[in-house]
Amino acid sequence: MKPAIRFVSTITRSAPPNDTLPLPQLRKLGLIYSSYRFAVSLFSMLMVYITARADSGASLPSFLQQTTLSFYVLLSMILLGLFYVVNKHMRQQLAFGLALDVIILSLLLYTAGAPDLQLTMLYMVVVAASFMLLHSSQALIITLLAIIFVIYQQFFYAIANSMSLTNLGDALLMSASFLAVGGLSWSISQRLVQLEKVAARHAKEVERLNVINQEVITQMVNGVIVIDQAHIVLANLAAYQLLSIPHRPSLTLPTTSKSHTPNDRRRLDSASAAQLADFEEQLDEQHPQLLQACLTVAAGQSRTFTYDLPAVANVSVFGKLRVQIIPLKDGSKLVMLEDLRREQANAQQLKLASLGQLTASIAHEIRNPLATISQASQLLMEDVVEICHPPVDNMTSPAPDYSDEHIAANHELYKMIFSQTKRVNRIIEDILKLSRQQQANQQPIVLAEWMPAFLENHFQGHDVFLRVKTQPTISFDTHQLEQVLINLINNGLRHSSYAHPHAFVEIEIYCADNDVIIDILDGGTGVREHDLPHLFNPFFTTDQAGTGLGLYLSQAFCEANQARLLYVPEHPKTCFRLIAPAINARTHV
């Protein structure tokens, strides 16, 4: 237990007292007092010589007085320069200077030859400064030293003047004044210390709130832009992403440092200003209509409109933003950018929910008679087989009078009934999948790791070639992503087999701006131009064996995950493109 006690006592002794001003204020007041000391010493030395020259009968200053004043001027200049240059041990420097002031003033008071009220009054400045700049214990020592020197000087002259104690009472009164000035200065200094602490606490709270606000604005999914005096003064990361403007990593100060120098702050402000200037330049080049609309809104008036994003060549998609311009009290404007894809995804979820409730009940009602029809067609087909190929033990019984043509025709009709019931059953299965879908359970997916495992599980033995040009991460429901890719790859393999004897599908994964692109390519004939408007409509199909719900379900799943599925007609191959926002938006090829 003894080492623990010693450790606690060491911590207690090393903890600095909290009854003094903070270092920045201490340095400022210390420089003021050091300048005052140098001015007083220089003025005292000049006044002594000026007074001696003006009064021809007066004697020149004594050697002790000249030496003391010269030494005081030199030390005052040295202390001022040292305190200005050296930022360490400021309180020790001030304590040494104040003790020197008391000693020099006592020597000047002694060399004056008689009690000097003007020199005695200078002690009060020293006492007041000691309680303002030093710890209370140090200031009390300086005050007691001044009292001792003053009383000793008065007592010494009283003895030298044949025990005349006329001025001794004045010395005692002056000493009491020192204590009063010291107490008043200490009270004022404590009030200043408390005010500085409150101000520092408020400054830290404001800085903390500013950091929180910056983090909240940075993490917002909506874009935020602040325009003041026709210049952009703030733009969050979402604004860069929604407008497809490259975002450079911003300069940040280290969070481990408790304090940052003004140079660090100036460097951070300069980097932020340069980044905002670059963003404003890019916005003027790529979205001049949006910037012009934001600048031309009259002060005090709000405006909301829909802005069509220009097409990006390598993405081939048009997007829309809801732009809301809100005037602020200081004359600046707040511009909010909202991606309408999220709103469309929510609408799609509501549509799927309402459609699912309807289709689920209809599908169950259709499935029961459909099962009966399918079973009956199978039984009829078995009867036809028995008639055409009777068992051996029944060869003696007379065969029914059916012609071969009649039996073959009925068998074909039964096969048609059975195949069509199977097709209707597939449609019902797809509708039930649609109705059973809950809200997307999104989770991060590293495509470079997830995609090879997916292809190994579902398309082993097929010619599906994967090319990954980057290492992106998207947020998607894994089950829904599997269903989308299975449908697209199966379509590609099927349509590629129609045009080539060897069916194959290519998958390319890359990044464009802040989106991850997954291209499903095949060598088929593509989609005819007049079919493009109906491509993602439910029950639309160009394949007689298809149900017409595969692409519709795939697009619904993509929209539920804030992604897009589209057909790219200008691609040299048949290309279906899945576009999803990247989680690590700064990952590029």
Side-chain angles (χ1 to χ4, degrees):
M1 295 298 294
K2 290 183 179 179
I5 294 174
R6 285 198 297 270
F7 176 76
V8 173
S9 62
T10 303
I11 293 296
T12 305
R13 287 195 301 269
S14 62
N18 57 357
D19 59 346
T20 57
L21 294 171
L23 293 180
Q25 295 295 330
L26 183 67
R27 176 171 175 78
K28 186 183 298 184
L29 293 178
L31 284 174
I32 293 175
Y33 182 77
S34 298
S35 302
Y36 157 79
R37 178 195 294 120
F38 178 70
V40 168
S41 63
L42 188 61
F43 179 77
S44 300
M45 187 174 183
L46 292 176
M47 287 303 298
V48 167
Y49 285 99
I50 290 174
T51 303
R53 287 181 176 275
D55 190 0
S56 57
S59 59
L60 292 175
S62 63
F63 177 76
L64 179 60
Q65 191 175 16
Q66 294 182 33
T67 304
T68 302
L69 287 174
S70 301
F71 185 70
Y72 192 34
V73 171
L74 180 62
L75 278 182
S76 298
M77 184 172 59
I78 293 174
L79 288 176
L80 176 60
L82 188 66
F83 193 84
Y84 183 79
V85 174
V86 180
N87 295 327
K88 297 180 180 179
H89 309 294
M90 289 188 290
R91 288 192 178 89
Q92 288 81 345
Q93 296 182 51
L94 291 172
F96 175 78
L98 290 169
L100 178 67
D101 291 338
V102 173
I103 295 173
I104 295 297
L105 290 176
S106 300
L107 289 175
L108 292 177
L109 191 63
Y110 174 78
T111 56
D116 191 342
L117 183 61
Q118 295 177 353
L119 290 176
T120 307
M121 293 295 293
L122 292 178
Y123 279 101
M124 292 189 178
V125 179
V126 177
V127 171
S130 63
F131 277 98
M132 292 286 290
L133 301 175
L134 304 178
H135 299 303
S136 56
S137 57
Q138 296 174 334
L140 186 60
I141 292 175
I142 297 295
T143 303
L144 292 178
L145 185 65
I147 291 173
I148 290 172
F149 278 132
V150 169
I151 292 178
Y152 175 78
Q153 188 267 347
Q154 296 292 340
F155 187 73
F156 174 79
Y157 277 108
I159 295 176
N161 294 329
S162 302
M163 297 300 293
S164 175
L165 301 179
T166 306
N167 296 326
L168 189 58
D170 295 337
L172 294 175
L173 183 61
M174 187 66 66
S175 301
S177 300
F178 289 171
L179 294 175
V181 169
L184 182 62
S185 300
W186 181 82
S187 177
I188 294 174
S189 67
Q190 290 305 300
R191 287 181 177 272
L192 289 176
V193 168
Q194 294 300 324
L195 289 176
E196 286 292 335
K197 288 181 178 180
V198 171
R201 188 164 57 249
H202 287 174
K204 288 183 179 179
E205 185 68 19
V206 169
E207 184 177 0
R208 187 177 71 88
L209 291 176
N210 185 43
V211 171
I212 293 174
N213 291 336
Q214 291 290 338
E215 187 65 22
V216 169
I217 293 174
T218 301
Q219 298 299 328
M220 287 179 62
V221 295
N222 292 341
V224 176
I225 301 175
V226 177
I227 301 177
D228 187 18
Q229 296 180 356
H231 290 287
I232 296 176
V233 297
L234 186 146
N236 67 344
L237 180 60
Y240 283 86
Q241 295 177 350
L242 292 176
L243 297 172
S244 299
I245 295 177
H247 180 266
R248 296 179 301 173
S250 58
L251 178 67
T252 56
L253 295 177
T255 56
T256 56
S257 179
K258 295 184 179 179
S259 61
H260 303 108
T261 63
N263 291 332
D264 293 335
R265 295 290 181 186
R266 284 193 293 269
R267 190 169 71 254
L268 179 61
D269 293 340
S270 177
S272 300
Q275 189 178 61
L276 288 173
D278 182 64
F279 175 79
E280 185 174 349
E281 181 180 355
Q282 294 289 331
L283 184 63
D284 189 26
E285 291 179 0
Q286 301 180 20
H287 309 277
Q289 296 179 352
L290 176 62
L291 182 60
Q292 189 65 23
C294 295
L295 295 177
T296 54
V297 172
Q301 294 182 357
S302 60
R303 181 186 174 190
T304 303
F305 59 94
T306 301
Y307 175 66
D308 293 330
L309 289 169
V312 181
N314 56 352
V315 177
S316 182
V317 66
F318 291 88
K320 291 186 178 182
L321 299 178
R322 178 182 288 113
V323 182
Q324 186 177 8
I325 305 174
I326 305 171
L328 302 179
K329 292 183 179 180
D330 59 353
S332 58
K333 300 172 186 177
L334 174 64
V335 181
M336 302 290 295
L337 306 176
E338 182 181 358
D339 191 356
L340 292 182
R341 285 181 297 174
R342 191 174 299 275
E343 187 174 296
Q344 292 170 356
N346 294 332
Q348 181 69 15
Q349 288 287 346
L350 295 176
K351 182 174 67 174
L352 290 177
S354 59
L355 182 60
Q357 294 177 358
L358 176 63
T359 54
S361 59
I362 296 176
H364 283 293
E365 292 298 327
I366 295 175
R367 207 171 194 183
N368 293 330
L370 185 64
T372 304
I373 296 172
S374 177
Q375 185 179 7
S377 63
Q378 284 182 299
L379 292 174
L380 289 173
M381 291 172 63
E382 291 176 0
D383 291 342
V384 170
V385 173
E386 290 179 359
I387 293 172
C388 295
H389 305 283
V392 177
D393 55 352
N394 292 335
M395 291 296 292
T396 58
S397 60
D401 188 13
Y402 294 113
S403 64
D404 293 339
E405 293 82 4
H406 180 73
I407 293 173
N410 287 343
H411 187 266
E412 290 298 325
L413 291 175
Y414 299 151
K415 286 177 64 177
M416 289 175 59
I417 294 173
F418 183 65
S419 64
Q420 292 304 314
T421 53
K422 286 176 62 178
R423 181 182 179 185
V424 174
N425 189 63
R426 287 200 305 271
I427 295 175
I428 293 174
E429 289 290 342
D430 289 339
I431 293 175
L432 288 177
K433 287 181 183 178
L434 179 63
S435 65
R436 294 189 190 119
Q437 290 302 324
Q438 303 296 325
Q439 186 174 3
N441 182 22
Q442 292 180 278
Q443 53 186 317
I445 300 176
V446 182
L447 291 176
E449 301 173 0
W450 182 87
M451 188 68 75
F454 162 76
L455 296 177
E456 181 71 19
N457 293 333
H458 296 278
F459 293 97
Q460 188 176 12
H462 293 81
D463 288 332
V464 180
F465 306 103
L466 176 64
R467 289 195 293 271
V468 181
K469 300 180 181 180
T470 183
Q471 302 287 328
T473 302
I474 64 173
S475 180
F476 219 101
D477 187 302
T478 54
H479 178 66
Q480 293 181 352
L481 183 59
E482 284 181 356
Q483 291 186 356
V484 172
L485 292 176
I486 288 173
N487 182 55
L488 294 177
I489 295 173
N490 282 332
N491 285 349
L493 290 173
R494 184 169 62 254
H495 288 280
S496 179
S497 65
Y498 296 158
H500 301 279
H502 183 70
F504 67 94
V505 168
E506 299 173 275
I507 302 176
E508 293 184 355
I509 300 175
Y510 57 96
C511 286
D513 294 326
N514 302 307
D515 290 330
V516 178
I517 312 299
I518 305 176
D519 283 346
I520 312 297
L521 309 173
D522 65 78
T525 57
V527 181
R528 291 174 295 186
E529 186 176 355
H530 64 273
D531 290 334
L532 290 177
H534 313 289
L535 187 59
F536 294 98
N537 291 344
F539 304 109
F540 174 78
T541 179
T542 58
D543 188 356
Q544 294 181 357
T547 63
L549 287 174
L551 289 178
Y552 174 73
L553 286 172
S554 298
Q555 189 181 61
F557 294 150
C558 290
E559 291 178 354
N561 290 271
Q562 289 82 48
R564 290 164 286 173
L565 178 63
L566 53 109
Y567 175 74
V568 185
E570 61 269 19
H571 201 283
K573 297 181 180 180
T574 302
C575 175
F576 282 88
R577 178 167 293 169
L578 193 155
I579 305 172
I583 294 180
N584 47 345
R586 287 191 285 271
T587 302
H588 293 277
V589 179

